[in-house]
Amino acid sequence: MQIKKIAFGDSQEAFIESRLTGGVNVIYSDDNNRGKTLVMQGLMFSLGYESIFPSSFHYKDKYFYSEIEVNGESYEFLRKKNTVALKTDGAMQIFNSVGELRYFLDKFVFRIPKVQKDNRATLVDLSLLYELFFIGQDSRNPSGLISKGQFNKQDFKNMVHALAGLSTSTANLSDIQATKNKIAELKIKLKETKKKISIIKQNPNVAEVFSKTFDSNKVQEKIKSISGINEKLSKVRRSRQREINRKSKLEQLVSELKSLNRDLSEGNVQCGDCGSDKIVYSNTDLTFEVSNIDVRNGILNSIYENITQKVELINDLTREINFLQDQLNDEMEEAPPSFQQIILYSEQVVSEKNYDNDSFSLSREIESLQDQLASSIEIDDALKTDKKTFDLNLLNDMSSIYKSIDPNGNLTFEDIFTKRDSTFSGSEGQEFYFCKLIALSRALNHDFPLIVDSFRDGELSTNKEESMLNIYSKLSRQVILTSTLKDEEYNSDKYKNKNEINAIDYSLHSDCKILDKQNREGFIDLISNFNGIVL
């Protein structure tokens, strides 16, 4: 998307800006109140952004025009108050509200994402969308949105994820909820049906033979019980093996310490490196010299005691293993009902056959839905992980951009919005917005231009400004900035001397008077394209 032309005015006076290019444009002046901000506000208002004009400017009496190009197609916007007319090559549409306009734009001009709002997928409003690429001069607050509409900063984050292809589809969310509701409904129905199968309570052994429902439940219970015992068995066996290994190592240590007695009686043991004849015993934390026989015997007695404890512990674990083995054997045994019991309950079993079939069918349906629900939730969890990765990459890119313009800066980025109580000094707020805009444009690769009113807000240093302009010029997209220069900067043609910048000077505009009669005819000519328009 490229801004081609901006204009606003009425039947008496107007202003037209048609010098914009597809690269970096800097609208500047040697003093404030030359109309730069009004032009930016007028542009965004014509495109559907909320009114951010100063109270002294009577915007409701004016018409706001802009021409944009999207994918080679030209679109002309004309807005007065809440009504917007949109003209294309072949037709003109009139919208009674910006809300109506966004649906048309989404369908025919550029994509507008949907986010979950009040439990339904909602097309975001244009003010929220435009904060992806527009930073106004007033009401800046890095901890929240500049535009105060129905959407909040969490909606902005959801919108970013949606544009990155990471939104949970409406169908998926509604499917998950519908599946949960269906499972709850079937469980109630199953409970009522089971109450009608009296054989289960009266004789579970007979029910296990004839009832598919009871058999299915028993099988699940049996599988769960056997799996649990096997898991415990495996755990206790591993514990016993660890103790056996420790006992073996202690026995080996005893053997080595005993052999030391023989070595000492037949000669001296010395360290090959330092020549010391001191021999030490060390556990994890403590070290003892065992060259002395009394100390060595004390250590040996301690180790013997440890071995005795290990033997007792191994015996305890073996008894626990034997107990679990008995439990496992009991679970594996089956006690079929006697023939007499089957004959006794046969009539009852036949009469309850349909209830059992219904109950079994409901159980199967519930299992199938639970599998389907688990699969949907797994997809949802994977999406959450992808969103976290996207956010992390975005913040890393913001940090990288920040270091490229302010290598010694102390800002850290933990979110695309700062904490409410964060305080910025000097140009830090402007640097935050810069890093955020650039990182979002890279991550989303969106087609919108970057528009920043008063881009040197906070007394941005010359070095940082140069770095920013250098990054802007390498983006291969339209950038529109406004700037008020100091006298020495203006006199040195600060921007005119830069080939990569389209410098647009507003210094000759009258103070607080950008609209004039000279542009009246041109303005009327522009909006006459909207056939039948009457100013």
mmCIF file of all heavy atoms in Angstrom, residues 234-254:
data_model
loop_
_atom_site.group_PDB
_atom_site.id
_atom_site.type_symbol
_atom_site.label_atom_id
_atom_site.label_comp_id
_atom_site.label_asym_id
_atom_site.label_seq_id
_atom_site.Cartn_x
_atom_site.Cartn_y
_atom_site.Cartn_z
ATOM 1 N N SER A 234 8.234 -52.096 38.606
ATOM 2 C CA SER A 234 9.426 -51.626 37.888
ATOM 3 C C SER A 234 10.214 -50.624 38.737
ATOM 4 O O SER A 234 11.444 -50.664 38.801
ATOM 5 C CB SER A 234 8.989 -50.995 36.569
ATOM 6 O OG SER A 234 10.075 -50.472 35.899
ATOM 7 N N LYS A 235 9.475 -49.743 39.412
ATOM 8 C CA LYS A 235 10.118 -48.715 40.235
ATOM 9 C C LYS A 235 10.854 -49.341 41.423
ATOM 10 O O LYS A 235 12.003 -48.992 41.720
ATOM 11 C CB LYS A 235 9.041 -47.743 40.733
ATOM 12 C CG LYS A 235 9.571 -46.556 41.485
ATOM 13 C CD LYS A 235 8.426 -45.612 41.843
ATOM 14 C CE LYS A 235 8.938 -44.419 42.644
ATOM 15 N NZ LYS A 235 7.827 -43.528 43.024
ATOM 16 N N VAL A 236 10.198 -50.317 42.104
ATOM 17 C CA VAL A 236 10.824 -50.958 43.272
ATOM 18 C C VAL A 236 12.029 -51.792 42.825
ATOM 19 O O VAL A 236 13.056 -51.836 43.509
ATOM 20 C CB VAL A 236 9.796 -51.825 44.021
ATOM 21 C CG1 VAL A 236 10.450 -52.537 45.202
ATOM 22 C CG2 VAL A 236 8.651 -50.953 44.523
ATOM 23 N N ARG A 237 11.907 -52.454 41.684
ATOM 24 C CA ARG A 237 13.039 -53.246 41.187
ATOM 25 C C ARG A 237 14.258 -52.362 40.912
ATOM 26 O O ARG A 237 15.393 -52.743 41.191
ATOM 27 C CB ARG A 237 12.637 -54.003 39.916
ATOM 28 C CG ARG A 237 11.873 -55.285 40.193
ATOM 29 C CD ARG A 237 11.435 -55.936 38.921
ATOM 30 N NE ARG A 237 10.846 -57.237 39.174
ATOM 31 C CZ ARG A 237 9.896 -57.785 38.426
ATOM 32 N NH1 ARG A 237 9.439 -57.107 37.379
ATOM 33 N NH2 ARG A 237 9.421 -58.976 38.718
ATOM 34 N N ARG A 238 14.006 -51.201 40.333
ATOM 35 C CA ARG A 238 15.135 -50.291 40.056
ATOM 36 C C ARG A 238 15.791 -49.830 41.356
ATOM 37 O O ARG A 238 17.011 -49.728 41.459
ATOM 38 C CB ARG A 238 14.646 -49.071 39.256
ATOM 39 C CG ARG A 238 14.324 -49.375 37.798
ATOM 40 C CD ARG A 238 14.275 -48.086 36.968
ATOM 41 N NE ARG A 238 13.230 -47.193 37.431
ATOM 42 C CZ ARG A 238 11.964 -47.221 37.003
ATOM 43 N NH1 ARG A 238 11.614 -48.115 36.097
ATOM 44 N NH2 ARG A 238 11.073 -46.364 37.473
ATOM 45 N N SER A 239 14.937 -49.576 42.388
ATOM 46 C CA SER A 239 15.484 -49.155 43.689
ATOM 47 C C SER A 239 16.342 -50.276 44.277
ATOM 48 O O SER A 239 17.432 -50.033 44.815
ATOM 49 C CB SER A 239 14.348 -48.816 44.659
ATOM 50 O OG SER A 239 13.625 -47.716 44.173
ATOM 51 N N ARG A 240 15.829 -51.523 44.188
ATOM 52 C CA ARG A 240 16.590 -52.644 44.757
ATOM 53 C C ARG A 240 17.921 -52.821 44.032
ATOM 54 O O ARG A 240 18.953 -53.060 44.664
ATOM 55 C CB ARG A 240 15.758 -53.931 44.655
ATOM 56 C CG ARG A 240 16.454 -55.125 45.303
ATOM 57 C CD ARG A 240 15.595 -56.362 45.291
ATOM 58 N NE ARG A 240 15.383 -56.851 43.925
ATOM 59 C CZ ARG A 240 14.754 -57.981 43.632
ATOM 60 N NH1 ARG A 240 14.273 -58.735 44.614
ATOM 61 N NH2 ARG A 240 14.572 -58.347 42.388
ATOM 62 N N GLN A 241 17.903 -52.638 42.703
ATOM 63 C CA GLN A 241 19.148 -52.816 41.951
ATOM 64 C C GLN A 241 20.182 -51.751 42.323
ATOM 65 O O GLN A 241 21.382 -52.026 42.410
ATOM 66 C CB GLN A 241 18.848 -52.748 40.438
ATOM 67 C CG GLN A 241 20.028 -53.125 39.564
ATOM 68 C CD GLN A 241 20.534 -54.529 39.859
ATOM 69 O OE1 GLN A 241 19.762 -55.487 39.922
ATOM 70 N NE2 GLN A 241 21.847 -54.643 40.097
ATOM 71 N N ARG A 242 19.690 -50.526 42.575
ATOM 72 C CA ARG A 242 20.618 -49.463 42.984
ATOM 73 C C ARG A 242 21.280 -49.813 44.320
ATOM 74 O O ARG A 242 22.479 -49.613 44.511
ATOM 75 C CB ARG A 242 19.865 -48.131 43.107
ATOM 76 C CG ARG A 242 19.617 -47.447 41.786
ATOM 77 C CD ARG A 242 19.260 -45.975 41.996
ATOM 78 N NE ARG A 242 18.022 -45.822 42.751
ATOM 79 C CZ ARG A 242 16.808 -45.784 42.192
ATOM 80 N NH1 ARG A 242 16.692 -45.877 40.877
ATOM 81 N NH2 ARG A 242 15.727 -45.657 42.939
ATOM 82 N N GLU A 243 20.467 -50.352 45.243
ATOM 83 C CA GLU A 243 21.034 -50.700 46.555
ATOM 84 C C GLU A 243 22.011 -51.863 46.421
ATOM 85 O O GLU A 243 23.043 -51.920 47.114
ATOM 86 C CB GLU A 243 19.904 -51.060 47.531
ATOM 87 C CG GLU A 243 18.961 -49.913 47.842
ATOM 88 C CD GLU A 243 19.699 -48.678 48.331
ATOM 89 O OE1 GLU A 243 20.707 -48.829 49.057
ATOM 90 O OE2 GLU A 243 19.286 -47.558 47.974
ATOM 91 N N ILE A 244 21.710 -52.815 45.561
ATOM 92 C CA ILE A 244 22.631 -53.939 45.334
ATOM 93 C C ILE A 244 23.966 -53.417 44.787
ATOM 94 O O ILE A 244 25.047 -53.847 45.209
ATOM 95 C CB ILE A 244 22.006 -54.965 44.355
ATOM 96 C CG1 ILE A 244 20.838 -55.677 45.040
ATOM 97 C CG2 ILE A 244 23.049 -55.965 43.870
ATOM 98 C CD1 ILE A 244 20.044 -56.583 44.107
ATOM 99 N N ASN A 245 23.898 -52.474 43.860
ATOM 100 C CA ASN A 245 25.127 -51.907 43.288
ATOM 101 C C ASN A 245 25.941 -51.170 44.360
ATOM 102 O O ASN A 245 27.171 -51.285 44.401
ATOM 103 C CB ASN A 245 24.792 -50.944 42.154
ATOM 104 C CG ASN A 245 24.179 -51.640 40.959
ATOM 105 O OD1 ASN A 245 24.325 -52.862 40.815
ATOM 106 N ND2 ASN A 245 23.503 -50.907 40.107
ATOM 107 N N ARG A 246 25.233 -50.396 45.210
ATOM 108 C CA ARG A 246 25.942 -49.678 46.267
ATOM 109 C C ARG A 246 26.603 -50.656 47.250
ATOM 110 O O ARG A 246 27.728 -50.443 47.704
ATOM 111 C CB ARG A 246 24.961 -48.762 47.014
ATOM 112 C CG ARG A 246 24.539 -47.561 46.192
ATOM 113 C CD ARG A 246 23.371 -46.854 46.825
ATOM 114 N NE ARG A 246 22.926 -45.767 45.967
ATOM 115 C CZ ARG A 246 21.729 -45.179 46.075
ATOM 116 N NH1 ARG A 246 20.875 -45.612 46.992
ATOM 117 N NH2 ARG A 246 21.397 -44.196 45.268
ATOM 118 N N LYS A 247 25.876 -51.727 47.587
ATOM 119 C CA LYS A 247 26.433 -52.737 48.511
ATOM 120 C C LYS A 247 27.685 -53.362 47.897
ATOM 121 O O LYS A 247 28.707 -53.571 48.574
ATOM 122 C CB LYS A 247 25.367 -53.796 48.774
ATOM 123 C CG LYS A 247 25.845 -54.993 49.578
ATOM 124 C CD LYS A 247 24.689 -55.929 49.886
ATOM 125 C CE LYS A 247 25.193 -57.245 50.479
ATOM 126 N NZ LYS A 247 25.839 -58.077 49.467
ATOM 127 N N SER A 248 27.616 -53.641 46.607
ATOM 128 C CA SER A 248 28.765 -54.237 45.918
ATOM 129 C C SER A 248 29.984 -53.314 45.963
ATOM 130 O O SER A 248 31.112 -53.762 46.189
ATOM 131 C CB SER A 248 28.368 -54.550 44.474
ATOM 132 O OG SER A 248 29.471 -55.047 43.755
ATOM 133 N N LYS A 249 29.756 -52.022 45.788
ATOM 134 C CA LYS A 249 30.861 -51.065 45.801
ATOM 135 C C LYS A 249 31.465 -50.953 47.201
ATOM 136 O O LYS A 249 32.679 -50.829 47.372
ATOM 137 C CB LYS A 249 30.373 -49.695 45.340
ATOM 138 C CG LYS A 249 30.116 -49.631 43.850
ATOM 139 C CD LYS A 249 29.664 -48.244 43.424
ATOM 140 C CE LYS A 249 29.421 -48.209 41.918
ATOM 141 N NZ LYS A 249 28.919 -46.898 41.481
ATOM 142 N N LEU A 250 30.580 -50.998 48.214
ATOM 143 C CA LEU A 250 31.083 -50.946 49.593
ATOM 144 C C LEU A 250 31.937 -52.168 49.894
ATOM 145 O O LEU A 250 32.990 -52.083 50.552
ATOM 146 C CB LEU A 250 29.915 -50.858 50.568
ATOM 147 C CG LEU A 250 29.171 -49.516 50.598
ATOM 148 C CD1 LEU A 250 27.912 -49.614 51.458
ATOM 149 C CD2 LEU A 250 30.071 -48.406 51.117
ATOM 150 N N GLU A 251 31.485 -53.339 49.430
ATOM 151 C CA GLU A 251 32.250 -54.573 49.651
ATOM 152 C C GLU A 251 33.608 -54.501 48.947
ATOM 153 O O GLU A 251 34.624 -54.971 49.464
ATOM 154 C CB GLU A 251 31.447 -55.772 49.160
ATOM 155 C CG GLU A 251 30.243 -56.070 50.046
ATOM 156 C CD GLU A 251 29.314 -57.108 49.457
ATOM 157 O OE1 GLU A 251 29.384 -57.332 48.219
ATOM 158 O OE2 GLU A 251 28.499 -57.693 50.206
ATOM 159 N N GLN A 252 33.615 -53.896 47.772
ATOM 160 C CA GLN A 252 34.873 -53.741 47.039
ATOM 161 C C GLN A 252 35.819 -52.793 47.788
ATOM 162 O O GLN A 252 37.028 -53.028 47.859
ATOM 163 C CB GLN A 252 34.584 -53.191 45.639
ATOM 164 C CG GLN A 252 35.794 -53.124 44.742
ATOM 165 C CD GLN A 252 35.432 -52.581 43.359
ATOM 166 O OE1 GLN A 252 34.259 -52.387 43.056
ATOM 167 N NE2 GLN A 252 36.441 -52.364 42.545
ATOM 168 N N LEU A 253 35.233 -51.740 48.399
ATOM 169 C CA LEU A 253 36.040 -50.786 49.159
ATOM 170 C C LEU A 253 36.642 -51.440 50.398
ATOM 171 O O LEU A 253 37.813 -51.219 50.742
ATOM 172 C CB LEU A 253 35.153 -49.601 49.568
ATOM 173 C CG LEU A 253 35.839 -48.487 50.353
ATOM 174 C CD1 LEU A 253 37.006 -47.894 49.569
ATOM 175 C CD2 LEU A 253 34.840 -47.395 50.703
ATOM 176 N N VAL A 254 35.848 -52.295 51.039
ATOM 177 C CA VAL A 254 36.357 -53.038 52.200
ATOM 178 C C VAL A 254 37.554 -53.887 51.792
ATOM 179 O O VAL A 254 38.589 -53.937 52.476
ATOM 180 C CB VAL A 254 35.234 -53.922 52.795
ATOM 181 C CG1 VAL A 254 35.818 -54.917 53.792
ATOM 182 C CG2 VAL A 254 34.193 -53.058 53.483
#
